Amino acid sequence: LTSRINEIEIELQNKNTHEQELIDFQHNFTIESDKQNKKIIESQRIDFDNQIQQLMAQHTQEQATLSEKVTQLQVTNRQLTQQVATFSEKATKDTQLQTTLSEKVNQLQEKNRQLTQQVGMYEKQLTMVKQGLKKRHEET
């Protein structure tokens, strides 16, 4: 009986040792898993930050491009407006060229109207890009 009790005590001790080993293993596994998860999260955060920087640079470039286009269209619009005025003045002075010049004036006015519409579109796009950039900046 004493021998059997000793055997049971040894089995119980072995079982307790094995349970402690499992607990230690689980604890170490959890620590390693947490470390790996932190590394993954940090890597994803860095990637996300890089993407934000790229998008901000892209939006800044788009904004600059649209601003340049608006400026070019405004210059062209002023030039065309001046040309319309010049051709209109010449048309009243020269009756022989009046028909030809009137057609040119109409063409320039149509071009002016189209360019005015384009300027409006580019200004809207520029406003949207600025708002998008501001929104992205606020989100970061």
Side-chain angles (χ1 to χ4, degrees):
L1 184 62
T2 302
S3 166
R4 181 66 183 135
I5 290 175
N6 286 339
E7 286 176 16
I8 290 174
E9 284 178 349
I10 290 172
E11 284 179 26
L12 185 61
Q13 235 177 4
N14 288 339
K15 185 177 179 185
N16 288 340
T17 300
H18 182 69
E19 284 178 7
Q20 186 59 45
E21 288 172 352
L22 285 175
I23 290 170
D24 291 345
F25 174 80
Q26 185 179 12
H27 177 72
N28 290 336
F29 180 81
T30 302
I31 289 172
E32 285 302 313
S33 178
D34 287 348
K35 286 179 185 177
Q36 288 177 354
N37 286 339
K38 285 179 184 177
K39 286 179 184 177
I40 290 170
I41 290 169
E42 180 61 18
S43 172
Q44 290 173 341
R45 187 195 63 77
I46 290 170
D47 289 345
F48 182 69
D49 286 347
N50 289 338
Q51 289 174 358
I52 288 173
Q53 292 300 320
Q54 289 172 351
L55 286 172
M56 288 176 69
Q58 181 181 354
H59 281 293
T60 300
Q61 181 60 41
E62 288 173 357
Q63 181 180 356
T65 301
L66 288 173
S67 292
E68 186 178 321
K69 285 181 181 179
V70 166
T71 302
Q72 290 171 354
L73 287 171
Q74 288 170 336
V75 168
T76 303
N77 192 20
R78 282 192 295 272
Q79 291 171 344
L80 288 172
T81 301
Q82 183 59 44
Q83 287 178 3
V84 167
T86 301
F87 285 129
S88 293
E89 192 177 304
K90 287 181 181 180
T92 57
K93 292 179 182 179
D94 188 358
T95 56
Q96 187 180 17
L97 294 176
Q98 189 171 1
T99 304
T100 306
L101 290 176
S102 292
E103 291 174 5
K104 185 67 175 180
V105 166
N106 290 339
Q107 291 172 355
L108 290 172
Q109 286 173 336
E110 175 60 23
K111 183 69 173 180
N112 190 20
R113 184 192 64 75
Q114 292 171 357
L115 288 172
T116 300
Q117 286 178 341
Q118 287 181 344
V119 166
M121 287 180 0
Y122 282 116
E123 286 173 343
K124 286 178 185 177
Q125 289 177 354
L126 179 60
T127 300
M128 289 189 300
V129 168
K130 285 180 181 178
Q131 289 171 350
L133 188 58
K134 182 178 177 183
K135 187 176 182 181
R136 290 203 188 270
H137 182 66
E138 289 171 357
E139 290 175 358
T140 60

